[in-house]
Amino acid sequence: MTNLETPSKVEVRHDDDIAPYATPIPQNRGDRDAETAAYVGESAVFVDDETSKKLFWTVNKRILAYKGTLGFASIMGIRTDAHLHGQQYSWLGTILYMGVLVGEYPTNLLLQKFPVAKYLATNVFLWGIVIACSAAAKNFRALMVVRFLLGLFESCVQPAFIIMTSMWYTKREQAVLTSLWFCMTGVQLMVGGIIAWGASHYVGHTIYSWQLLFLVLGILTCVWGLFIGWWLPDSPMKAKCFSEDQKRLMIERVRANETGIQNKTYKRYQMVEAVKDPVIWCYVMLQITSTLVIGGLGVFSNIIISSFGFSLLQTQLLNIAQGGVTILVMVGGATLAQTTGQTVWVMHTWTIPPIIGTAIIYSIRPTHSTRVGLLVAFYCTQFFLAQGNLVFSLISRNVAGQTKKSTTLAMTFIGWAAGNMTAPQIFQQGDAPRYRKGFTAHFCLYVLFNIFLVILRVLLTRRNTAKRVAVANALAIEVAQQSDEKITHSHAFEDLTDKENPDFRYVV
């Protein structure tokens, strides 16, 4: 019998012994970052729960170590002292996001190329300089210039936070951690409210109270930028504050994310995939519809609250309570999403209080006897603020491939900026003090937001099912027998996109 006629030996394996199936990856697609490759092998290293928790808190000490001053300045006299009239105050809210819009795409490309922490620190420092310079702006034109520059430097901050969250934390941790990043909005309202309240007492001097506010916050931001540059590591691989063993384990504990750590090579096909992906466009539309609500409430919150009949100082102090509510709804929503594993359903639920609160503000006229109830109703609308960080947590967990992720962040933050840019225009000066047309627009946006959530959930669920079916067909077993637990995560650091990585599973 010749060699050609020799039957090949086939080993029969039982289902329990079958190794996880890996769909072949197209050639020239797998590309490991050199820095990451120095710390990881082909196969995963098991990290037990106790070690993972220790590493989690070790990372927090270093990583979990910023904005919105215009809202406070609005009732401290900026509109009068800078001779603002008509819709000019609204345009100051809009121009900030025009700056973000211009800076978003280039800054996301630079975030992929440069060390994340150093690039972030530089932008925060420059941001602080511009805030301080805002104190010298005494007319509409000058304020427009500094607000545009603020937006330009701000454009890198939130994408950098999302990149760092996916770099250091597991998918399960990311929902809450993303919320903690965005809780700075609540902290800003509380601390900024105290600072603004103190600055409001600064009257009868050479500079106005709102100018003092900008000066103090600008200097503090510059100091914070320097601290970020010194304290925050650029990546687990470059973190000199950790031992080599700690670095390896920190990288291994995020292997199952399937989103990698970093890759500085720009891949055009990933950019094209992001632009053509309907899921990414769902994220963009969720950003636009949510920020059209959030942006308007953010810029006009003080004016809306003061329209209920509260004095200037009372409104400033009520920002402290508003900040506390913001923190509670953000952390509460993220914690609920983490414990239930149902982020999209939590987002649906979190639209109910804003709808009720908006209906009350729309229907009831402000009087001395109704102002407390209207204030509670306004705080109900703050539940919608949690939608922003929950959308970002979905993006950080559900998009893989560094170029695809940077493109997605650019697209979604352009949507975020466009929404925030347009939002102040929803509340027209001629519609004051009830702003009924603005709140009518909010009702429509709540409906659209929920529709896009439904579409997103259907798309992600179908993709997960398709991936499981592909594995089951290759192994010739029933889909019900196939388990994601058998995934080896061998492609985790190959810079594959979420669609082409057979091991990737979407969070819904």
Side-chain angles (χ1 to χ4, degrees), residues 125-202:
F125 183 80
L126 294 172
W127 190 16
I129 290 175
V130 176
I131 291 175
C133 289
S134 300
K138 297 183 179 180
N139 57 55
F140 177 65
R141 182 178 297 178
L143 284 169
M144 287 287 280
V145 171
V146 294
R147 291 288 289 176
F148 178 83
L149 291 174
L150 277 175
L152 199 64
F153 293 125
E154 182 182 351
S155 63
C156 96
V157 176
Q158 295 185 28
F161 286 162
I162 291 175
I163 289 169
M164 286 190 294
T165 302
S166 61
M167 182 186 289
W168 291 93
Y169 296 99
T170 65
K171 279 189 176 183
R172 177 173 170 76
E173 297 161 354
Q174 283 177 35
V176 173
L177 266 297
T178 304
S179 294
L180 290 177
W181 291 129
F182 283 87
C183 274
M184 290 300 105
T185 303
V187 175
Q188 166 253 313
L189 283 169
M190 296 173 74
V191 177
I194 295 170
I195 294 174
W197 178 77
S200 297
H201 291 80
Y202 187 83

Side-chain angles (χ1 to χ4, degrees), residues 61-66 117-118 120-122 124-125 219-233:
K61 292 174 186 176
R62 206 78 191 183
I63 306 303
L64 198 60
Y66 294 116
K118 301 298 183 294
L120 172 65
T122 301
V124 171
F125 183 80
I219 293 170
L220 289 175
T221 303
C222 285
V223 172
W224 184 243
L226 293 173
F227 177 77
I228 289 173
W230 169 70
W231 182 258
L232 197 63

Side-chain angles (χ1 to χ4, degrees), residues 133-446:
C133 289
S134 300
K138 297 183 179 180
N139 57 55
F140 177 65
R141 182 178 297 178
L143 284 169
M144 287 287 280
V145 171
V146 294
R147 291 288 289 176
F148 178 83
L149 291 174
L150 277 175
L152 199 64
F153 293 125
E154 182 182 351
S155 63
C156 96
V157 176
Q158 295 185 28
F161 286 162
I162 291 175
I163 289 169
M164 286 190 294
T165 302
S166 61
M167 182 186 289
W168 291 93
Y169 296 99
T170 65
K171 279 189 176 183
R172 177 173 170 76
E173 297 161 354
Q174 283 177 35
V176 173
L177 266 297
T178 304
S179 294
L180 290 177
W181 291 129
F182 283 87
C183 274
M184 290 300 105
T185 303
V187 175
Q188 166 253 313
L189 283 169
M190 296 173 74
V191 177
I194 295 170
I195 294 174
W197 178 77
S200 297
H201 291 80
Y202 187 83
V203 292
H205 298 279
T206 308
I207 64 173
Y208 298 115
S209 59
W210 60 267
Q211 290 176 308
L212 177 64
L213 175 68
F214 282 137
L215 198 59
V216 170
L217 293 179
I219 293 170
L220 289 175
T221 303
C222 285
V223 172
W224 184 243
L226 293 173
F227 177 77
I228 289 173
W230 169 70
W231 182 258
L232 197 63
D234 293 305
S235 69
M237 295 78 72
K238 288 189 174 180
K240 296 178 180 178
C241 50
F242 302 132
S243 69
E244 293 299 299
D245 286 339
Q246 284 179 318
K247 291 179 187 179
R248 287 189 180 87
L249 292 175
M250 285 174 184
I251 295 168
E252 285 295 338
R253 73 186 291 270
V254 299
R255 179 188 281 270
N257 290 353
E258 295 291 343
T259 53
I261 301 286
Q262 66 177 26
N263 193 291
K264 300 185 184 300
T265 303
Y266 179 83
K267 298 180 177 67
R268 186 178 182 278
Y269 86 90
Q270 292 192 8
M271 180 273 290
V272 173
E273 182 179 310
V275 173
K276 292 182 176 180
D277 192 341
V279 167
I280 305 305
W281 286 105
C282 281
Y283 294 138
V284 173
M285 295 311 299
L286 287 171
Q287 287 284 30
I288 293 173
T289 51
S290 63
T291 51
L292 280 171
V293 175
I294 295 168
L297 293 176
V299 174
F300 280 86
S301 62
N302 285 326
I303 296 172
I304 292 169
I305 292 174
S306 61
S307 74
F308 296 159
F310 295 100
S311 69
L312 183 150
L313 293 179
Q314 285 175 331
T315 302
Q316 294 287 20
L317 290 174
L318 285 170
N319 274 294
I320 300 172
Q322 185 183 344
V325 171
T326 300
I327 292 172
L328 286 174
V329 299
M330 283 187 172
V331 176
T335 303
L336 188 60
Q338 183 188 61
T339 53
T340 61
Q342 297 292 334
T343 302
V344 174
W345 282 117
V346 171
M347 293 171 74
H348 280 301
T349 305
W350 249 233
T351 61
I352 297 172
I355 292 172
I356 295 171
T358 302
I360 292 171
I361 296 171
Y362 182 90
S363 305
I364 299 177
R365 182 176 296 277
T367 64
H368 185 78
S369 60
T370 63
R371 65 177 185 170
V372 174
L374 287 170
L375 181 65
V376 173
F378 180 77
Y379 286 162
C380 285
T381 66
Q382 302 302 291
F383 272 74
F384 211 69
L385 292 177
Q387 304 291 7
N389 59 274
L390 289 173
V391 172
F392 288 132
S393 77
L394 285 172
I395 294 169
S396 71
R397 293 177 288 171
N398 282 343
V399 182
Q402 295 305 311
T403 302
K404 182 176 182 180
K405 179 170 284 188
S406 66
T407 305
T408 299
L409 289 174
M411 290 170 64
T412 52
F413 275 105
I414 286 171
W416 177 85
N420 277 299
M421 186 172 68
T422 310
Q425 305 305 322
I426 291 177
F427 292 93
Q428 295 290 316
Q429 185 70 28
D431 199 28
R434 298 291 299 279
Y435 297 107
R436 298 187 75 167
K437 291 179 182 177
F439 286 117
T440 300
H442 281 195
F443 283 124
C444 299
L445 290 166
Y446 294 142

